């Protein structure tokens, strides 16, 4: 059996599922609570003030009439009551009665049933009978002896009217506040849904593989605008990463396919070749496989470094000592190539950093290999190496005097499988500088290049560590 949904409760039930609606409603509840507390304080103050004035008025008149009675007796009391009743000042609200217990009134403008009324000295609220009406009054009853009583007080109708009007106004104000709160919560929910819809659409588009989608930027500088800006930046980075992954995949396939095809052809040729030619062909196959193994090793090292593997092995080490050991290893190669090494070590003592000596030595080796491939020229075969302190960092700077690179290639030197077109004839895969950058970033450092004219300058900065 289907249950019918109330036309008002249905939208409210659906809106209640929204976090923004509940948040706005909770905030509205706080505002309504503050309003209730404020109105309650005003109610107590207003009603209490009026009630206190009525009490003071009754007590003051009672005290004055008792003084008249003490000085002038019963006749003076009757005369004073008649004067107060007939003076026309608040005569409708004042209560002055000089009455016997049986109900006989000698002076006054009303009567009270004293038989059933508690006769206490304090003020009390009692029913009062007047000529044309009955009402409640706040009175003070004084026993004058011989079953005679003086009753002084005020009509409570004015106080009751104030209470009723205040309660009615309070109810209207609270009803209006609750209604506006619900309306505001609905409007707030609609606005939040509208702003969140753009974010949800961007996420759906990204989930479907459309990384070109961007959220239209809003002129408002609010939280959603900042979130939209961050999501657009995330989509931009994701698009670049996907583009980079596709590029890397293409380059990996290209770099693997060529040597594998050559190795396969040479294996087939060795199978068909005479016995005397097979060793040479198999040596060529082994050379191709060694080449592939080195490529796989570089790719594996690069993947591990970019994934942060090995960071737990970091320890304080002297970068100057690591550099000297690497240069010492390359000294025979420099001698064979007639390279002039200009070394400037400006650290006393050496520059301490927190890192892995094998990874840092690998990064330096890649830089030196890169120099030996592309940094030599016929006119000048010189490498300048500077190690110095720059503020809270240790800077390693290498400058060659070779042909350099095209200015447009400076920002792409560390990308995977990217090589300068003018160096395509040189052996390599475009992974060396990408590996160097990954190692430097793993050590919380920075790397950069600039054209030295002639040549290329590479700088690496690592955070200084105090052992």
């Amino acid at each position: 059996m289907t249950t019918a949904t109330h036309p008002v409760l249905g939208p409210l039930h659906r809106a209640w599922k929204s976090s923004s609606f509940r948040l706005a409603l909770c905030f509205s509840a706080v505002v309504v609570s503050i309003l209730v507390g404020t109105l309650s304080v005003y109610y107590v103050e207003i009603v209490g003030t009026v009630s206190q004035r009525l009490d003071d008025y009754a007590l003051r008149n009672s005290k004055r009439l008792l003084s008249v009675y003490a000085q002038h007796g019963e006749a003076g009391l009757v005369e004073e009551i008649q004067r107060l009743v007939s003076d026309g000042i608040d005569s409708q609200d004042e209560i002055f009665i000089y009455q016997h217990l049986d109900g006989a009134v000698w002076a006054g403008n009303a009567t009270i049933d004293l038989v059933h009324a508690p006769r206490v000295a304090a003020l009390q609220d009692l029913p009062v009978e007047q000529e044309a009406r009955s009402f409640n009054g706040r009175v003070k009853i004084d026993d004058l002896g011989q079953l005679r009583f003086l009753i002084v007080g005020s009509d409570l109708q004015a106080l009751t009217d104030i209470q009723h009007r205040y309660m009615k106004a309070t109810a209207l104000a609270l009803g209006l506040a609750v209604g506006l709160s619900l309306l505001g919560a609905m409007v707030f929910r609609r606005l939040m849904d509208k702003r969140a819809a753009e974010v949800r659409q961007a996420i759906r588009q990204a989930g479907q593989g459309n990384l070109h989608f961007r959220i239209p930027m809003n002129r408002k500088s609010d939280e959603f605008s900042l979130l939209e800006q961050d999501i657009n930046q995330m989509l931009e980075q994701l698009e670049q990463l996907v583009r980079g992954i596709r590029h890397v995949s293409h380059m990996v396939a290209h770099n693997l396919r060529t040597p594998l095809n050559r190795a396969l052809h040479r294996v087939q040729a060795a199978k068909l070749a005479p016995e005397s030619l097979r060793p040479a062909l198999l040596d060529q196959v082994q050379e191709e496989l060694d080449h592939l193994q080195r490529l796989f090793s570089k790719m594996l090292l690069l993947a591990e470094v970019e994934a942060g593997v090995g960071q737990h092995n970091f320890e304080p080490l002297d970068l100057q000592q690591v550099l000297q050991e690497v240069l010492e290893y390359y000294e025979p190669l420099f001698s064979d190539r007639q390279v002039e090494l200009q070394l400037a070590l400006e650290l006393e003592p050496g520059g301490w950093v927190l890192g892995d000596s094998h990874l840092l030595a690998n990064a330096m080796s890649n830089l030196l290999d890169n120099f030996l491939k592309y940094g030599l020229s016929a006119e000048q075969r010189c490498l300048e190496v500077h190690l110095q302190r720059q503020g809270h960092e240790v800077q390693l700077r290498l400058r060659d005097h070779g042909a350099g690179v095209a200015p447009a290639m400076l920002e792409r030197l560390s990308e995977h499988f990217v090589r300068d077109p003018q160096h395509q004839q040189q052996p390599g895969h475009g992974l060396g500088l990408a590996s160097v950058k990954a190692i430097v970033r793993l050590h919380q450092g920075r790397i950069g290049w600039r054209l030295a004219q002639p040549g290329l300058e590479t700088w690496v900065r690592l955070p200084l560590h105090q052992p």
Side-chain angles (χ1 to χ4, degrees):
M1 186 176 70
T2 304
T3 304
T5 304
H6 193 277
V8 175
L9 295 181
L12 287 178
H13 178 70
R14 290 192 298 270
W16 181 255
K17 297 179 180 179
S18 169
S19 299
S20 57
F21 177 82
R22 294 197 300 271
L23 177 63
L25 206 58
C26 290
F27 179 76
S28 301
V30 173
V31 174
V32 171
S33 300
I34 295 174
L35 179 62
V36 170
T38 304
L39 292 176
S40 299
V41 171
Y42 276 109
Y43 175 81
V44 171
E45 289 294 325
I46 293 174
V47 174
T49 300
V50 174
S51 179
Q52 185 64 41
R53 287 180 180 179
L54 294 178
D55 293 347
D56 292 342
Y57 183 78
L59 293 173
R60 186 169 60 252
N61 284 331
S62 174
K63 183 177 180 180
R64 185 165 62 85
L65 290 176
L66 287 175
S67 176
V68 170
Y69 177 74
Q71 295 178 8
H72 304 285
E74 184 177 353
L77 177 61
V78 171
E79 182 180 355
E80 182 64 21
I81 289 177
Q82 290 176 349
R83 186 187 67 79
L84 292 173
V85 170
S86 60
D87 63 2
I89 302 175
D90 297 330
S91 58
Q92 294 294 324
D93 300 327
E94 296 174 333
I95 300 174
F96 297 105
I97 307 174
Y98 178 42
Q99 161 182 340
H100 194 272
L101 181 63
D102 59 8
V105 177
W106 293 299
N109 56 356
T111 181
I112 291 180
D113 183 7
L114 294 176
V115 176
H116 299 93
R119 290 185 290 278
V120 295
L123 289 165
Q124 52 187 312
D125 297 343
L126 295 174
V128 180
E129 297 290 336
Q130 225 171 32
E131 294 180 358
R133 63 190 184 106
S134 299
F135 58 91
N136 286 329
R138 178 163 297 175
V139 296
K140 184 176 186 302
I141 302 176
D142 294 304
D143 190 350
L144 301 182
Q146 299 179 358
L147 304 179
R148 296 173 301 167
F149 297 90
L150 173 63
I151 305 168
V152 180
S154 300
D155 186 356
L156 291 177
Q157 186 62 42
L159 181 60
T160 304
D161 290 343
I162 292 176
Q163 291 175 329
H164 287 169
R165 291 180 181 178
Y166 198 90
M167 295 302 294
K168 184 178 180 180
T170 300
L172 289 174
L174 291 178
L176 182 62
V178 171
L180 290 176
S181 298
L182 290 174
L183 179 61
M186 296 290 287
V187 172
F188 181 74
R189 171 181 173 267
R190 189 177 296 271
L191 291 175
M192 292 299 101
D193 286 348
K194 183 179 178 182
R195 298 298 299 276
E198 298 176 344
V199 176
R200 291 198 302 268
Q201 184 181 4
I203 295 175
R204 285 196 299 268
Q205 293 288 335
Q208 295 171 2
N210 180 17
L211 299 179
H212 302 289
F213 180 83
R214 297 293 182 270
I215 303 175
M217 294 306 297
N218 198 300
R219 293 184 178 179
K220 298 178 181 178
S221 180
D222 55 10
E223 293 81 358
F224 271 96
S225 298
L226 297 177
L227 178 61
E228 291 166 355
Q229 182 179 353
D230 292 341
I231 290 177
N232 283 341
Q233 291 178 354
M234 180 192 70
L235 292 174
E236 182 72 26
Q237 293 174 357
L238 283 176
E239 186 177 6
Q240 292 179 359
L241 288 174
V242 170
R243 192 186 305 117
I245 290 173
R246 290 172 180 169
H247 172 73
V248 169
S249 301
H250 173 74
M251 295 305 298
V252 167
H254 174 75
N255 282 276
L256 293 180
R257 183 176 62 246
T258 302
L260 280 176
N261 286 337
R262 285 200 301 263
L264 181 59
H265 291 158
R266 285 169 180 170
V267 168
Q268 292 174 348
K271 291 171 62 178
L272 301 175
E275 187 71 27
S276 59
L277 298 179
R278 287 182 182 176
L281 291 173
L282 291 177
D283 288 341
Q284 293 176 357
V285 172
Q286 183 177 359
E287 184 180 350
E288 292 290 349
L289 294 178
D290 289 341
H291 175 77
L292 282 175
Q293 185 180 12
R294 289 194 297 271
L295 176 60
F296 275 118
S297 298
K298 290 182 178 181
M299 292 173 58
L300 180 60
L301 175 63
L302 180 58
E304 290 178 348
V305 172
E306 289 180 338
V309 177
Q311 201 167 17
H312 58 280
N313 295 325
F314 281 11
E315 60 182 1
L317 53 93
D318 187 350
L319 190 63
Q320 180 171 306
Q321 181 178 352
V322 175
L323 174 62
Q324 288 176 329
E325 291 176 355
V326 173
L327 292 175
E328 193 175 311
Y329 175 81
Y330 275 82
E331 185 176 352
L333 293 175
F334 289 165
S335 298
D336 291 342
R337 302 284 186 91
Q338 298 179 350
V339 174
E340 178 187 355
L341 178 64
Q342 297 181 2
L343 181 62
L345 304 178
E346 303 176 9
L347 293 173
E348 290 295 339
W352 287 87
V353 297
L354 191 65
D356 187 307
S357 59
H358 297 291
L359 291 177
L360 290 174
N362 183 281
M364 295 177 185
S365 298
N366 277 317
L367 292 176
L368 294 177
D369 287 338
N370 214 57
F371 160 72
L372 292 174
K373 286 182 182 179
Y374 315 116
L376 299 177
S377 65
E379 296 80 13
Q380 192 169 7
R381 309 173 71 82
C382 176
L383 174 64
E384 301 176 12
V385 180
H386 296 266
L387 185 65
Q388 57 190 155
R389 179 170 178 171
Q390 292 280 347
H392 297 286
E393 295 177 319
V394 178
Q395 176 177 268
L396 173 64
R397 186 164 52 88
L398 295 88
R399 187 255 169 110
D400 61 54
H401 296 268
V405 297
M409 291 296 300
L410 279 178
E411 296 182 357
R412 304 192 59 198
L413 283 178
S414 60
E415 293 184 14
H416 300 67
F417 299 105
V418 172
R419 303 180 66 199
D420 194 342
Q422 63 181 342
H423 297 149
Q424 291 294 333
Q425 71 279 5
Q426 296 284 350
H429 303 285
L431 291 177
L433 294 182
S435 176
V436 173
K437 182 177 182 180
I439 293 173
V440 171
R441 293 182 64 179
L442 182 66
H443 288 77
Q444 309 299 318
R446 298 174 294 159
I447 186 171
W449 293 269
R450 74 175 186 89
L451 296 178
Q453 295 179 355
L456 182 70
E457 180 179 285
T458 303
W459 56 264
V460 175
R461 293 177 187 151
L462 298 175
L464 189 66
H465 176 73
Q466 298 295 336

